[in-house]
Amino acid sequence: MNLKNKNISPIKTNSWIKLQEHFKEIKNISLKNFFLENKNRFDQFNVQFNKLLFDFSKNRINKKTINILSNLAIECKLEEYIYKMFSGEKINETENRSVLHTALRNFDKNKKIFINGVNIMEDIYFTIEKMKIFSEKIRNGIWKGYTNKPIKNIVNVGIGGSHIGPMMVVEALKSYSNKNLNIHFISNIDGSSLYYLFNKIDLDTTIFIISSKTFTTEETITNFKSILNFFIKKTKNKKFIKKHFIATTSNKKEAIKFGIPEKNIFLFGDWVGGRYSVWNAVGLSICLYIGFENFYSFLKGAYEIDLHFKNEKIEKNIPILLALIGIWNINFLKINNHLILPYNQSLQYFILYIQQLEMESNGKSVNRNGIKINYSTCPIIWGGLGNDSQHSFYQFLYQGTISSSFDFIIYIKDKYKELENHNKILFSNFLSQTRSLAFGNQKEEIIQELIIELKKKKYVNFLFPHKIIKGNKPSNSIILEELSPITLGNLMAIYEHKIFVQSIIWNIFAFDQWGVELGKKNSKKILLDLYKKNEINCYDSSTNNLINFYKKIFN
Ligand code: F6P
């Protein structure tokens, strides 16, 4: 890594200073005025990519904003870092690793990427081929359980990146599923999920995919051990493990220790971050559920965006634009919470997915030189299914004291032709919210409405301030023609690269997650104390008392 680049603090760049000046120029221009000033504003601020339309015109920006933001990316050497990432340089410096999730969906057969002298593309193709063969065996009923029956249930056991991505994709693409297969996800350590699962499924027609990059994650390994105990108790024969337990991991040794045979292990390299790992072995549950062809198209979708990201100029580059607009909103408009608002039910877990991807990557406050930074990085990512959320927290978005920015996401074509009216209502809601949040309402309009409604002037005066909606809330709209493996792959890769771009500009490391380690370490110690008979007094008084309270109740 070039040390000089690591010293590029975004706030010291010319572009940052220009952006501060520029902010003063346009801070009082409302979205309403931006649109009044330029009747063709949409034409200027949208990008179409295959079946995806990205409309960023409802942001508080003009052409100049995009120009300076683009220069900021250039000053921060974005292009150089994109090259470094794709070519396998060890840009995850604190873990001394390359960052190569893009290699998992690389369709350029001539590409070679060497890590420690080994062409990792060969390992990737090996795993993909293995996934193909295995998924065909399961889906065609060739792979049999211990009573010689075909498999009907897939249980993915994993947490974080080994869970959220697969669960989200499976839910999103369930219309592509094989109807003979049921899929379940076990993630957290609360025993209730396992308890209910055991009551629901027949073991002899179930495979368990133990998904863990490290194969040491407490929740996953504990769940795995409990399942294994249950399985052995029931089948009374360890020999059957090979028919029902699969591992997806980068730690083959650990998986083997637990008795999973090598041929049941789907490997990936430690150069894939957990939250970026859905594109290969960790996506096995997806591949089983929607079939290899569809899984392959899903990879293709991401690859298309990889090419777009690498090759397209900034003004037309969707991930870069999304990132730059985010930086404008966070660092200049000082909006520190961002909502993901998918409107289609099948994208319900997309919020969770982006939450981990973005907050675990860019929730950092020291720069790449280890120096504390004094500008904001990752905002709070939250959200919900748009239409449902309209009836819960949208009030806060319209009239609360905290400003938010939004990504509205919707796909148009669905399968339910006889429910066409639902589709239209959904889209009208989607549009009405992007419009209302941007433009709010008009004084005259409110008064007129109130006069008709209430007749009496005194109520009009009283109610008026409560009815005012200022609007001016910035949003992006991402519209897909349809949700398919390809377009979902497009969408997910856009966000992955957006996060990468922001990390480069903020000068932070996006691919480690040291923050989560402390909690893991502390929980190990506390666990030992929960088993001790004596009263605990080695922590702060709150923790001591809570441990002792737990013991009193549990025993
Ligand atoms: O605790 C955070 C984390 O390390 C995530 O980054 C990761 O996706 C998750 O735990 C699960 O890790 P593993 O796949 O190694 O079980």
Side-chain angles (χ1 to χ4, degrees):
M1 168 99 32
N2 176 349
L3 203 69
K4 220 171 95 217
N5 286 354
K6 282 181 19 179
N7 289 326
I8 300 175
S9 163
I11 59 170
K12 302 243 166 78
T13 58
N14 289 334
S15 308
W16 195 277
I17 294 156
K18 280 191 190 154
L19 283 165
Q20 283 171 326
E21 289 303 310
H22 174 63
F23 172 68
K24 288 184 203 147
E25 279 163 29
I26 68 167
K27 70 173 196 248
N28 293 325
I29 308 178
S30 65
L31 278 171
K32 219 182 275 179
N33 286 333
F34 276 128
F35 275 86
L36 283 176
E37 270 169 23
N38 177 0
K39 295 275 178 248
N40 299 320
R41 186 172 162 83
F42 171 79
D43 297 341
Q44 255 181 11
F45 299 113
N46 86 84
V47 180
Q48 290 197 36
F49 176 84
N50 296 346
K51 293 186 173 181
L52 186 147
L53 168 63
F54 172 50
D55 170 19
F56 56 107
S57 60
K58 291 192 187 95
N59 280 289
R60 292 168 54 194
I61 53 168
N62 59 20
K63 266 268 169 234
K64 188 170 168 190
T65 327
I66 295 294
N67 284 343
I68 318 177
L69 284 166
S70 304
N71 287 336
L72 176 67
I74 293 165
E75 275 195 83
C76 294
K77 306 268 180 256
L78 178 63
E79 202 179 336
E80 195 177 311
Y81 278 102
I82 294 176
Y83 174 80
K84 284 176 197 242
M85 178 170 76
F86 278 87
S87 57
E89 275 196 42
K90 292 192 174 176
I91 59 169
N92 176 1
E93 284 186 73
T94 63
E95 295 180 335
N96 194 27
R97 287 176 183 156
S98 309
V99 174
L100 279 168
H101 46 280
T102 52
L104 302 176
R105 67 252 184 155
N106 163 58
F107 278 70
D108 172 3
K109 293 280 176 222
N110 298 320
K111 184 156 179 134
K112 290 190 172 116
I113 302 174
F114 289 93
I115 292 189
N116 304 329
V118 176
N119 176 14
I120 61 155
M121 289 316 302
E122 282 169 18
D123 296 342
I124 294 171
Y125 295 137
F126 177 79
T127 298
I128 297 236
E129 187 57 25
K130 192 164 163 172
M131 288 169 78
K132 178 172 190 266
I133 296 168
F134 180 64
S135 62
E136 279 162 7
K137 279 191 188 157
I138 294 282
R139 287 167 65 84
N140 297 330
I142 295 165
W143 183 288
K144 301 277 189 342
Y146 69 91
T147 57
N148 220 20
K149 288 188 203 148
I151 299 303
K152 282 200 186 128
N153 302 298
I154 304 156
V155 180
N156 188 85
V157 183
I159 199 162
S162 301
H163 161 242
I164 304 173
M167 178 179 73
M168 184 275 284
V169 175
V170 156
E171 179 66 19
L173 298 179
K174 78 174 165 221
S175 60
Y176 290 80
S177 73
N178 175 338
K179 304 283 178 289
N180 299 324
L181 288 173
N182 305 310
I183 194 156
H184 308 270
F185 289 89
I186 297 291
S187 57
N188 72 62
I189 195 61
D190 179 347
S192 64
S193 18
L194 271 192
Y195 179 83
Y196 288 114
L197 181 80
F198 288 154
N199 284 320
K200 207 153 64 181
I201 52 163
D202 294 323
L203 274 189
D204 61 342
T205 54
T206 302
I207 52 161
F208 296 94
I209 302 175
I210 316 304
S211 197
S212 174
K213 176 179 169 182
T214 54
F215 229 78
T216 56
T217 304
E218 188 181 36
E219 293 87 341
T220 303
I221 298 307
T222 309
N223 278 326
F224 171 36
K225 283 183 185 161
S226 301
I227 296 170
L228 204 55
N229 284 341
F230 182 77
F231 181 86
I232 293 170
K233 227 177 180 172
K234 193 100 194 237
T235 61
K236 299 188 177 55
N237 197 336
K238 283 192 178 172
K239 183 170 101 196
F240 294 140
I241 290 177
K242 67 172 184 290
K243 293 178 182 274
H244 293 270
F245 287 86
I246 310 293
T248 73
T249 186
S250 60
N251 190 350
K252 180 161 90 179
K253 240 189 184 165
E254 264 318 293
I256 288 176
K257 259 197 219 160
F258 282 100
I260 299 187
E262 193 165 346
K263 75 170 180 39
N264 286 15
I265 300 175
F266 293 75
L267 274 176
F268 60 100
D270 69 358
W271 31 261
V272 181
R275 53 193 173 274
Y276 297 86
S277 64
V278 70
W279 310 102
N280 188 256
V282 170
L284 184 63
S285 53
I286 307 169
C287 182
L288 296 176
Y289 196 56
I290 65 173
F292 183 78
E293 288 306 313
N294 287 322
F295 185 73
Y296 210 54
S297 301
F298 169 63
L299 302 188
K300 192 82 181 267
Y303 178 65
E304 286 176 354
I305 289 295
D306 292 343
L307 295 182
H308 166 86
F309 177 52
K310 273 197 297 190
N311 302 328
E312 189 57 88
K313 55 180 190 255
I314 294 182
E315 310 84 82
K316 290 280 164 206
N317 193 311
I318 301 175
I320 301 184
L321 287 168
L322 204 55
L324 294 178
I325 291 163
I327 287 188
W328 175 248
N329 287 338
I330 296 159
N331 299 110
F332 298 90
L333 303 191
K334 309 285 181 210
I335 299 175
N336 283 315
N337 77 103
H338 183 72
L339 288 97
I340 304 293
L341 297 168
Y343 266 68
N344 313 79
Q345 184 79 33
S346 63
L347 286 173
Q348 61 177 308
Y349 298 130
F350 194 69
I351 305 123
L352 293 181
Y353 171 72
I354 299 299
Q355 210 166 42
Q356 186 201 6
L357 200 64
E358 203 152 335
M359 294 173 98
E360 204 174 57
S361 297
N362 285 348
K364 311 283 165 65
S365 52
V366 294
N367 69 14
R368 285 180 286 193
N369 295 307
I371 312 279
K372 177 109 184 59
I373 51 185
N374 55 358
Y375 46 87
S376 293
T377 58
C378 183
I380 298 166
I381 302 289
W382 62 296
L385 273 179
N387 192 210
D388 294 80
S389 308
Q390 286 170 214
H391 300 274
S392 84
F393 58 72
Y394 270 40
Q395 166 60 36
F396 166 93
L397 308 181
Y398 279 106
Q399 292 184 313
T401 52
I402 293 172
S403 285
S404 311
S405 58
F406 322 96
D407 286 353
F408 283 87
I409 303 169
I410 196 166
Y411 59 85
I412 298 177
K413 284 192 204 155
D414 60 31
K415 295 208 153 169
Y416 324 107
K417 283 281 157 275
E418 64 281 18
L419 300 175
E420 194 192 312
N421 59 328
H422 290 245
N423 192 301
K424 295 260 185 315
I425 297 173
L426 187 71
F427 199 70
S428 68
N429 271 280
F430 173 89
L431 277 187
S432 101
Q433 297 301 329
T434 66
R435 242 181 85 68
S436 311
L437 283 161
F439 307 123
N441 52 12
Q442 306 275 351
K443 208 169 153 185
E444 305 71 39
E445 193 187 323
I446 307 169
I447 294 178
Q448 205 48 40
E449 268 175 28
L450 285 175
I451 289 173
I452 298 168
E453 225 178 277
L454 298 167
K455 312 245 170 14
K456 289 204 187 117
K457 182 124 193 307
K458 84 172 191 208
Y459 290 128
V460 172
N461 288 341
F462 169 66
L463 274 180
F464 179 72
H466 298 279
K467 293 258 187 177
I468 283 276
I469 290 168
K470 283 171 75 177
N472 215 21
K473 314 281 186 196
S475 73
N476 299 303
S477 295
I478 300 178
I479 303 183
L480 308 174
E481 286 180 23
E482 63 192 14
L483 190 69
S484 66
I486 295 236
T487 59
L488 184 63
N490 289 163
L491 186 66
M492 289 164 65
I494 285 175
Y495 277 90
E496 283 183 345
H497 294 320
K498 167 208 158 172
I499 292 164
F500 174 65
V501 173
Q502 291 189 332
S503 76
I504 296 305
I505 293 177
W506 284 326
N507 195 20
I508 55 176
F509 287 125
F511 297 103
D512 58 20
Q513 57 287 315
W514 296 106
V516 296
E517 297 307 320
L518 178 63
K520 288 185 194 171
K521 203 169 91 190
N522 282 342
S523 92
K524 287 216 166 73
K525 171 152 175 36
I526 290 173
L527 180 64
L528 294 177
D529 289 326
L530 291 180
Y531 279 106
K532 287 183 189 153
K533 290 259 174 320
N534 56 310
E535 211 179 85
I536 299 299
N537 53 22
C538 57
Y539 302 97
D540 59 278
S541 74
S542 164
T543 310
N544 286 336
N545 277 291
L546 296 181
I547 291 177
N548 295 329
F549 179 76
Y550 171 90
K551 289 187 180 199
K552 203 165 87 195
I553 301 298
F554 194 80
N555 295 329

